[in-house]
């Protein structure tokens, strides 16, 4: 992660006005695109959370503890807990497959048309 450098020099009132104007311009030009990308990411995250809720429900239906699932899947118990509670945002397909396989389930990925 790059180091954050902080300036200690004072900005002139003119420079502050220029920077505020630039921020307004950037927000007007790029704000809608940034908000659209954020909405898309939220939608993707929700879909992933839904998958983990399904896996968790199946684990509970089978009466399995996280410890047993950890043994079956080879995924650390603490990590499984973070996954089930949506505290681990970067999950791989391999992890999903290992979790599903430990429940004697198969992960299926499909493509569907976007809503117009």
């Amino acid at each position: 992660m790059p180091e954050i450098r902080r300036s200690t020099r004072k900005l002139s009132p003119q420079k502050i006005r220029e920077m505020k104007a630039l921020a307004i311009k950037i927000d007007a030009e790029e704000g809608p695109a940034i908000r659209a990308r954020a909405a898309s990411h939220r939608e993707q995250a929700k879909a992933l959370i839904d998958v983990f809720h399904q896996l968790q429900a199946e684990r509970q239906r089978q009466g399995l503890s996280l410890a047993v699932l950890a043994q079956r899947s080879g995924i650390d118990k603490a990590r499984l807990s973070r996954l089930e509670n949506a505290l681990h945002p970067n999950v791989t397909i391999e992890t999903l497959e290992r979790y599903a396989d430990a429940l004697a389930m198969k992960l299926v990925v499909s493509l569907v048309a976007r809503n117009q």
Side-chain angles (χ1 to χ4, degrees):
M1 182 171 206
E3 180 182 335
I4 297 174
R5 298 183 328 167
R6 302 191 188 280
S7 174
T8 56
R9 71 176 205 220
K10 299 281 183 179
L11 297 176
S12 69
Q14 174 63 27
K15 189 65 172 175
I16 291 171
R17 282 191 297 275
E18 289 172 6
M19 291 179 78
K20 284 182 180 179
L22 180 59
I24 290 168
K25 178 182 176 193
I26 289 171
D27 186 50
E29 291 175 358
E30 298 185 26
I34 291 169
R35 285 187 285 281
R37 284 197 318 265
S40 173
H41 288 291
R42 280 191 302 275
E43 191 174 309
Q44 291 171 359
K46 184 185 178 315
L48 197 53
I49 289 168
D50 288 346
V51 168
F52 275 109
H53 285 159
Q54 291 173 30
L55 288 167
Q56 180 182 31
E58 180 61 21
R59 175 183 64 78
Q60 291 170 342
R61 188 193 70 72
Q62 291 183 22
L64 300 175
S65 68
L66 283 175
V68 170
L69 189 68
Q71 288 176 334
R72 287 185 179 184
S73 67
I75 301 170
D76 182 67
K77 181 180 162 185
R79 184 162 185 231
L80 288 170
S81 178
R82 287 191 303 271
L83 291 169
E84 286 188 352
N85 292 297
L87 300 175
H88 193 292
N90 295 321
V91 65
T92 65
I93 295 290
E94 178 189 3
T95 299
L96 287 169
E97 287 176 332
R98 288 169 57 192
Y99 191 131
D101 188 54
L103 296 173
M105 298 187 77
K106 180 179 177 181
L107 177 70
V108 178
V109 178
S110 64
L111 295 172
V112 295
R114 291 184 181 160
N115 294 336
Q116 299 298 321

